């Protein structure tokens, strides 16, 4: 049962990340049970897990719904994410093994293929692998866990950001600079590049906010 509820959590989380279950969407246990061909018990357990991660909220007598993040909260969360990424990058530049560096280059090449194919959804998944390698490359388990947790909270918004005009191209170019800094062992440069890569400000944030209503369509 635990394995099934864990896999259901991942599947529901993915539907939230890709916008099929948008912020504010009511999550009906019976509908979800029918959708996945299971009883309500593993669905309920999966929803409890998602609530503990902050991805959904469960309110008495009102049931579960996908968490809604205000524009101010979104700015604050991206600010913290930027610092997590910067810390991971700084440590990764000092600590990554040759094999880990090679794996990062491979992930970067996969991002390039998705960019060239003009497929923002594929780029989204390859981008997640790229950043995950930087987290693990920090060789700091606690930091890696915290970074991954916040990354998961922001997944729907990171995906939407990639749909902003020219964002995939710019994202890849920013990745390229990060890879070169890590390979050269430039810890502070890597930190600064990743902070700028994640931090949403000015027009980029306005574009992201403008895209949010479309996610519910």
């Amino acid at each position: 049962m635990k394995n099934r509820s864990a896999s259901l959590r991942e599947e529901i989380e993915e539907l939230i990340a890709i916008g099929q279950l948008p912020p504010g969407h009511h999550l009906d246990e019976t509908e979800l049970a029918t959708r996945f061909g299971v009883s309500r018990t593993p669905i309920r357990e999966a929803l409890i897990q998602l609530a503990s991660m902050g991805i959904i909220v469960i309110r008495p007598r009102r049931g579960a719904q996908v968490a809604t993040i205000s524009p101010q909260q979104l700015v604050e969360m991206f600010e913290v994410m930027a610092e997590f990424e910067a810390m991971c990058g700084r440590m990764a530049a000092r600590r990554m093994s040759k094999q880990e560096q090679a794996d990062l280059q491979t992930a970067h090449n996969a991002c390039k293929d998705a960019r060239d194919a003009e497929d923002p959804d594929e780029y989204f998944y390859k981008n997640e692998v790229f950043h995950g390698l930087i987290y693990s490359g920090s060789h700091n388990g606690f930091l890696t866990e915290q970074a991954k947790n916040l990354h998961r909270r922001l997944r729907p918004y990171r995906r939407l950001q990639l749909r902003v005009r020219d964002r995939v191209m710019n994202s890849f170019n920013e990745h390229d600079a990060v890879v070169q800094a890590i390979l050269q062992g430039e810890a502070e440069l890597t930190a600064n590049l990743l902070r700028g890569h994640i931090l949403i400000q000015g027009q980029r944030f306005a574009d992201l906010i403008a895209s949010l209503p479309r996610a519910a369509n």
Side-chain angles (χ1 to χ4, degrees):
M1 185 67 72
K2 286 186 178 180
N3 287 340
R4 184 58 181 137
S5 62
S7 66
L8 284 168
R9 173 189 59 73
E10 292 175 358
E11 291 180 71
I12 296 170
E13 183 184 347
E14 197 61 33
L15 292 174
I16 293 171
I18 65 176
Q20 287 195 23
L21 299 175
H25 181 85
H26 176 68
L27 298 167
D28 183 273
E29 290 183 8
T30 302
E31 288 181 5
L32 289 171
T34 300
R35 180 173 191 159
F36 292 106
V38 298
S39 69
R40 291 175 60 180
T41 299
I43 291 291
R44 187 176 299 115
E45 291 178 356
L47 294 180
I48 290 171
Q49 292 174 33
L50 289 168
S52 71
M53 297 160 59
I55 293 174
I56 70 169
V57 292
I58 301 176
R59 296 189 175 93
R61 295 182 299 281
R62 293 174 60 185
Q65 67 179 51
V66 179
T68 301
I69 302 175
S70 71
Q72 181 61 33
Q73 287 176 309
L74 202 56
V75 169
E76 292 171 354
M77 291 169 74
F78 268 101
E79 284 178 344
V80 175
M81 189 76 250
E83 293 305 320
F84 279 168
E85 295 254 355
M87 286 189 286
C88 287
R90 181 184 296 110
M91 294 179 187
R94 297 200 305 256
R95 300 175 179 178
M96 265 188 164
S97 67
K98 292 296 183 183
Q99 183 58 56
E100 287 172 322
Q101 290 178 348
D103 291 342
L104 184 66
Q105 184 66 63
T106 298
H108 183 47
N109 292 339
C111 287
K112 180 179 183 295
D113 291 340
R115 179 206 67 181
D116 292 345
E118 298 182 353
D119 186 340
D121 289 330
E122 182 66 12
Y123 187 89
F124 168 72
Y125 291 114
K126 301 306 182 186
N127 178 63
E128 290 206 310
V129 173
F130 178 86
H131 284 276
L133 289 170
I134 293 175
Y135 302 160
S136 59
S138 72
H139 292 270
N140 182 308
F142 180 77
L143 176 59
T144 298
E145 181 182 4
Q146 298 304 309
K148 286 183 175 179
N149 286 343
L150 184 52
H151 181 103
R152 291 170 89 159
R153 288 282 309 277
L154 288 170
R155 282 184 81 212
Y157 305 95
R158 294 180 75 147
R159 175 179 173 272
L160 282 171
Q161 189 187 185
L162 291 173
R163 293 183 172 274
V164 172
R165 184 187 300 275
D166 295 331
R167 183 58 200 146
V168 168
M169 177 69 73
N170 292 333
S171 172
F172 177 81
N173 292 339
E174 291 162 14
H175 282 189
D176 197 56
V178 168
V179 171
Q180 296 310 312
I182 288 176
L183 294 180
Q184 294 166 17
E186 297 281 356
E188 290 308 315
L189 177 58
T190 302
N192 290 335
L193 289 170
L194 279 166
R195 184 182 294 109
H197 176 61
I198 298 302
L199 199 58
I200 289 187
Q201 51 191 330
Q203 190 59 47
R204 276 176 60 195
F205 180 69
D207 289 342
L208 175 58
I209 293 300
S211 72
L212 294 183
R214 292 196 294 275
N217 294 336

